Amino acid sequence: KVDRAVTNLIQDLHDRGLGDDVVTIMWGEFGRTPKINERGGRDHWDPVMSTLIAGGGLKMGQVIGSTTADGGEPRDRPVTPGDLLATIYRAVGIDHHRMLTDRQNRPVPLLPEGEPISELF
């Protein structure tokens, strides 16, 4: 049901001419272990996760990166959560290198690490 809902949202935005104005993201903070556990399920697995990004003027229709055959580790073109955030920031016009200040007036990076995913621009 989630697949259908996200697809319909993206299609509706496109049909209304809003596809380049809205960034749609479906992102989990972890994947699942490559092996079934003793209870017949799979546990959280942070080395690998999936993300769908659509709209915002980004180049769509791509799969970026891959995993080992068992889905356990990144195989090529690993992308970090910082890279995803930098991509989102750039798509909505925010400088991901921007510095903020804390309550003591010390500089704090908006995003400590990560660069926009070049294939999407």
Side-chain angles (χ1 to χ4, degrees), residues 7 12 27 30 45 57 106 117:
T7 300
D12 185 58
W27 179 11
F30 54 82
W45 188 250
R106 296 176 295 196
I117 301 167

Side-chain angles (χ1 to χ4, degrees), residues 85-121:
L85 289 171
T87 301
I88 295 163
Y89 289 162
R90 180 169 170 193
V92 300
I94 298 171
D95 177 7
H96 70 284
H97 291 297
R98 183 176 175 192
M99 295 298 284
L100 306 173
T101 53
D102 67 11
R103 291 183 179 176
Q104 284 75 41
N105 220 23
R106 296 176 295 196
V108 178
L110 174 64
L111 188 60
E113 59 183 49
E115 290 299 323
I117 301 167
S118 61
E119 295 91 337
L120 296 177
F121 294 93

Side-chain angles (χ1 to χ4, degrees), residues 1-13 24-27 52-54:
K1 293 186 180 191
V2 170
D3 292 349
R4 217 179 284 179
V6 171
T7 300
N8 286 335
L9 171 63
I10 293 167
Q11 186 65 54
D12 185 58
L13 290 168
T24 303
I25 304 152
M26 190 166 106
W27 179 11
L52 174 143
I53 302 177

Side-chain angles (χ1 to χ4, degrees), residues 3-85:
D3 292 349
R4 217 179 284 179
V6 171
T7 300
N8 286 335
L9 171 63
I10 293 167
Q11 186 65 54
D12 185 58
L13 290 168
H14 176 76
D15 292 348
R16 293 171 188 246
L18 298 171
D20 287 341
D21 298 328
V22 177
V23 179
T24 303
I25 304 152
M26 190 166 106
W27 179 11
E29 74 275 17
F30 54 82
R32 294 292 182 180
T33 53
K35 295 184 181 179
I36 305 295
N37 65 27
E38 63 278 354
R39 296 177 313 280
R42 293 171 60 191
D43 299 310
H44 297 176
W45 188 250
D46 64 358
V48 177
M49 68 182 113
S50 299
T51 304
L52 174 143
I53 302 177
L58 300 171
K59 295 179 186 174
M60 298 291 92
Q62 304 179 67
V63 173
I64 300 169
S66 66
T67 66
T68 53
D70 67 357
E73 300 295 329
R75 186 179 70 197
D76 64 18
R77 186 57 173 103
V79 175
T80 68
D83 297 332
L84 291 167
L85 289 171

